[in-house]
Amino acid sequence: MNVAMWLLAGGALGWIGFAYLRVNRHLGLATALIIGAVGGFFGGNVLAPMLGTVTDTPNIFNLFSMAIALGSAAACLVIGNLLFRPFRI
């Protein structure tokens, strides 16, 4: 359940950044969704256990892990925007 929540939260953050904040506008909606979902998965699956959010049961929702996933998705969207900025037409 956590993995699905991380992917959905990252994708939603990518959509919000694309639609309302005009971040990654030149890359397109699909790319913003993918970058956000990958960032959310990376944050929840890799960074959260490194920062000490290991639980006894992996299916229990963890708010700190979700916050790490959202922060990682936002960071990935910003990095994606910075990397592809020189290639804008």
Side-chain angles (χ1 to χ4, degrees):
M1 180 176 104
N2 281 335
V3 175
M5 295 294 287
W6 299 330
L7 291 173
L8 287 174
L13 196 63
W15 176 70
I16 289 170
F18 178 82
Y20 297 112
L21 302 177
R22 310 238 187 252
V23 177
N24 292 330
R25 189 64 133 166
H26 58 283
L27 294 177
L29 178 61
T31 306
L33 289 173
I34 291 170
I35 290 174
V38 168
F41 180 76
F42 177 75
N45 201 25
V46 176
L47 292 179
M50 289 173 55
L51 295 174
T53 62
V54 179
T55 59
D56 295 334
T57 308
N59 290 333
I60 295 175
F61 179 74
N62 190 349
L63 187 61
F64 183 69
S65 177
M66 179 59 77
I68 296 295
L70 284 172
S72 175
C76 285
L77 287 166
V78 168
I79 290 170
N81 192 28
L82 292 174
L83 285 176
F84 292 108
R85 181 174 285 165
F87 301 113
R88 281 191 218 177
I89 295 175

